[in-house]
Amino acid sequence: MPRILPRLIKLPLSGHLPFPRNRPQIQRKPVPPLPSSIPADYSRSVLLSPGNIITNSHDYVLRKSRPPVYKRRISRQKTEVDAQDTLREMTSQECIWWSSPYLRMLATPVRQCFLTQRYLPTDFMIRLTSMNVPPPLRRKGKFSKFIFSDGLLHPKFKMRKVGRGKYIICWREALALLYNSRWYHYFGAIPSPHLAEQIAHLLRLRVLQELLLIVKELKNLYRVRADPSLGPPLVVRRLTRAEWGMLKTTGVLPHPGALAVLVVPPVNRDPTTKQRPPTTGAMSPAPPVHPSPPQQPVRKIPPLCVLHPISAAQPTKFSCEASVSRSTTASEAPLRDANVNHHSREQIPLYNGVALFPGRIQRAKLHTLLTRILGVEAAWRFSDSARSQEAVHADHSQKADKGEQRKGDNKGSHAFLICGSNEVDVAPLGVALWRVRMWEGAHVVEDELDDQNVEQAREAA
């Protein structure tokens, strides 16, 4: 110790520290060709030859190159980065794959389901861990731990717990099996009493977090963009009343490439206070406590999610089964079957806000975030730096005409169309919405309805 202290005093404490903060990244380098393994090819020992594979084994290790980035946030590369392993932007085809929320879900790491023993991507499952609880909350028994969900929120808001965990499929009915002693015995813990409500609350909170990150990314993009006059990326827009009426009439959503449609009307005002519910506690990870049981809605709640095709010409499962069943002879069946496209068709999910967010506070926050995105895009579109003086005069001259055009069916509806963008990553929002759909079992209801339609078609034939 007496010898170390004088050395520490002589260290320059001002400026940069002499020790590197970050661990240097191992860059990808080309691997040299493997040398011969025959001893007769060497005139002396292999250890004495320069660059041999024994003493220089690290030069023969094949390392992966860095993955391509979705977009370049820097205009120039760093000088310390090796030219052989530079950052690469995604190609147009890679951007299409990366912007799909469903391919993004399939690309997540594969884990084994604790209940079904099947391997699935982690975005199709819920991660569960066991945690200690304070002594006043413990129950009498041999288990002193409770089972909680983990990793449902965005990492920027809450990191995942370090440690081992188990996965189950993202479905509310599957979680009910954990309350059987046969299953939670393997955990060494018992599930918390309100585990299902907690998971449902966190999945919906993840949707709000993704929307909040989109708002921040749009604002940041406007500040760092080289040319703001190019216009904002169209992420969210309202469907007009005419478009919404056509969608309800035909069931076709002619917007290929769209991620989803959210039908979120503003929350009604309180009849006594005449105020809308506050959104102060909407982003809290703790589920709301209901002092009294919720009132039954007067109207029938629409389904949580409905899939709509992008064109009416696409065949459905009902039409495929009906066309095959109507064939009179065995020779006509292959001909009819050959004209039917059995591949998956492009469908856009439509989420109803009342069923998606039953809580009034979270639904009010959802409507607020969607309107904030529209406000950011509108401020970007009508900013002084984004338009010239000629556009200002043209805008004032056409103001009366635009006011007349916004009346009637041209006014905006309560349906918000979520679109993809090359500058803003919107795919995590589609993943978060789809996970809520899986948790509530909307896919099971749709499969049952499809099976009923097929049976009715066979009986009618």
Side-chain angles (χ1 to χ4, degrees):
M1 184 64 66
R3 296 183 180 181
I4 297 179
L5 292 178
R7 296 181 182 180
L8 294 177
I9 296 175
K10 296 179 181 180
L11 288 177
L13 299 180
S14 61
H16 298 285
L17 295 176
F19 308 103
R21 290 186 176 182
N22 299 328
R23 186 177 180 181
Q25 296 182 357
I26 301 177
Q27 305 297 335
R28 178 180 178 272
K29 296 181 180 180
V31 179
L34 294 177
S36 176
S37 59
I38 302 176
D41 295 340
Y42 297 92
S43 59
R44 54 180 181 175
S45 175
V46 179
L47 298 176
L48 299 178
S49 59
N52 62 84
I53 195 174
I54 299 177
T55 58
N56 301 280
S57 59
H58 58 277
D59 295 337
Y60 294 87
V61 177
L62 183 62
R63 305 186 188 279
K64 294 182 178 180
S65 59
R66 289 184 290 180
V69 294
Y70 183 71
K71 62 180 180 178
R72 296 291 295 274
R73 294 182 179 272
I74 52 177
S75 58
R76 56 183 180 180
Q77 300 176 2
K78 296 182 180 180
T79 56
E80 64 268 17
V81 177
D82 192 359
Q84 299 174 354
D85 192 21
T86 57
L87 289 175
R88 180 178 66 85
E89 289 190 32
M90 291 185 180
T91 61
S92 58
Q93 185 62 42
E94 289 175 342
C95 287
I96 294 175
W97 293 337
W98 184 253
S99 61
S100 174
Y102 312 108
L103 293 180
R104 190 84 66 90
M105 295 175 68
L106 293 174
T108 52
V110 177
R111 296 293 183 268
Q112 187 179 17
C113 178
F114 176 70
L115 300 176
T116 62
Q117 303 299 319
R118 294 187 177 183
Y119 290 89
L120 294 172
T122 53
D123 275 354
F124 292 89
M125 293 187 289
I126 301 294
R127 187 175 188 267
L128 301 176
T129 56
S130 58
M131 304 179 187
N132 293 320
V133 295
L137 299 179
R138 294 180 183 177
R139 294 183 177 181
K140 295 182 179 180
K142 58 180 179 180
F143 297 115
S144 61
K145 296 182 179 181
F146 275 91
I147 300 175
F148 292 96
S149 60
D150 187 24
L152 297 182
L153 300 181
H154 197 277
K156 289 187 177 181
F157 295 87
K158 184 178 181 181
M159 294 297 296
R160 194 178 70 175
K161 295 289 184 181
V162 179
R164 300 181 62 181
K166 297 184 183 297
Y167 293 84
I168 63 170
I169 56 176
C170 186
W171 189 21
R172 186 188 290 267
E173 299 297 332
L175 184 67
L177 298 176
L178 282 181
Y179 289 91
N180 190 349
S181 60
R182 171 191 173 188
W183 295 105
Y184 69 75
H185 175 76
Y186 295 99
F187 265 94
I190 57 177
S192 60
H194 305 286
L195 182 58
E197 290 76 8
Q198 181 195 20
I199 294 177
H201 174 76
L202 294 180
L203 288 175
R204 291 176 169 88
L205 181 58
R206 180 64 180 268
V207 177
L208 301 180
Q209 291 177 352
E210 296 293 347
L211 285 172
L212 183 60
L213 292 177
I214 290 176
V215 174
K216 294 182 179 180
E217 191 170 359
L218 282 174
K219 293 181 178 179
N220 184 44
L221 181 63
Y222 178 70
R223 290 195 300 266
V224 302
R225 202 172 188 180
D227 189 5
S229 61
L230 296 177
L234 186 60
V235 176
V236 177
R237 79 170 183 90
R238 287 181 183 267
L239 294 179
T240 61
R241 293 183 178 180
E243 293 175 339
W244 174 240
M246 187 63 65
L247 173 60
K248 293 191 296 184
T249 303
T250 61
V252 177
L253 191 60
H255 298 282
L259 294 183
V261 175
L262 291 174
V263 183
V264 187
V267 182
N268 296 331
R269 300 178 184 271
D270 189 84
T272 57
T273 61
K274 306 299 181 181
Q275 299 291 333
R276 300 189 187 275
T279 60
T280 52
M283 304 297 291
S284 174
V289 179
H290 301 283
S292 59
Q295 299 179 358
Q296 295 295 332
V298 179
R299 300 179 181 178
K300 183 180 179 181
I301 298 179
L304 187 145
C305 179
V306 180
L307 299 178
H308 291 274
I310 61 174
S311 63
Q314 292 180 346
T316 60
K317 182 179 179 181
F318 175 80
S319 61
C320 293
E321 295 287 345
S323 62
V324 176
S325 61
R326 291 194 187 98
S327 58
T328 55
T329 61
S331 60
E332 295 180 0
L335 296 178
R336 292 180 178 269
D337 193 37
N339 297 327
V340 175
N341 185 13
H342 289 280
H343 296 284
S344 60
R345 55 176 181 166
E346 183 178 358
Q347 293 178 322
I348 301 175
L350 184 143
Y351 299 94
N352 294 286
V354 179
L356 184 66
F357 285 84
R360 291 169 53 87
I361 297 178
Q362 281 193 332
R363 190 163 70 250
K365 186 65 175 181
L366 175 65
H367 186 270
T368 302
L369 291 174
L370 290 173
T371 52
R372 281 183 62 184
I373 295 177
L374 294 177
V376 172
E377 294 177 351
W380 194 339
R381 188 179 299 110
F382 296 104
S383 61
D384 295 334
S385 59
R387 58 181 182 177
S388 59
Q389 293 295 332
E390 292 80 8
V392 174
H393 296 296
D395 181 73
H396 287 292
S397 62
Q398 298 176 0
K399 187 175 181 180
D401 298 337
K402 288 185 178 180
E404 295 178 357
Q405 294 176 0
R406 288 297 179 181
K407 294 181 180 180
D409 292 340
N410 292 325
K411 294 183 65 175
S413 63
H414 298 317
F416 297 85
L417 181 67
I418 312 297
C419 306
S421 174
N422 294 331
E423 298 178 285
V424 181
D425 192 9
V426 196
L429 175 60
V431 174
L433 290 171
W434 195 261
R435 282 170 62 83
V436 177
R437 176 183 179 272
M438 290 190 300
W439 173 255
E440 297 297 341
H443 59 288
V444 179
V445 177
E446 290 181 357
D447 292 341
E448 293 178 354
L449 292 177
D450 290 341
D451 294 338
Q452 293 177 3
N453 293 336
V454 171
E455 293 296 334
Q456 293 176 2
R458 290 176 178 175
E459 293 176 359

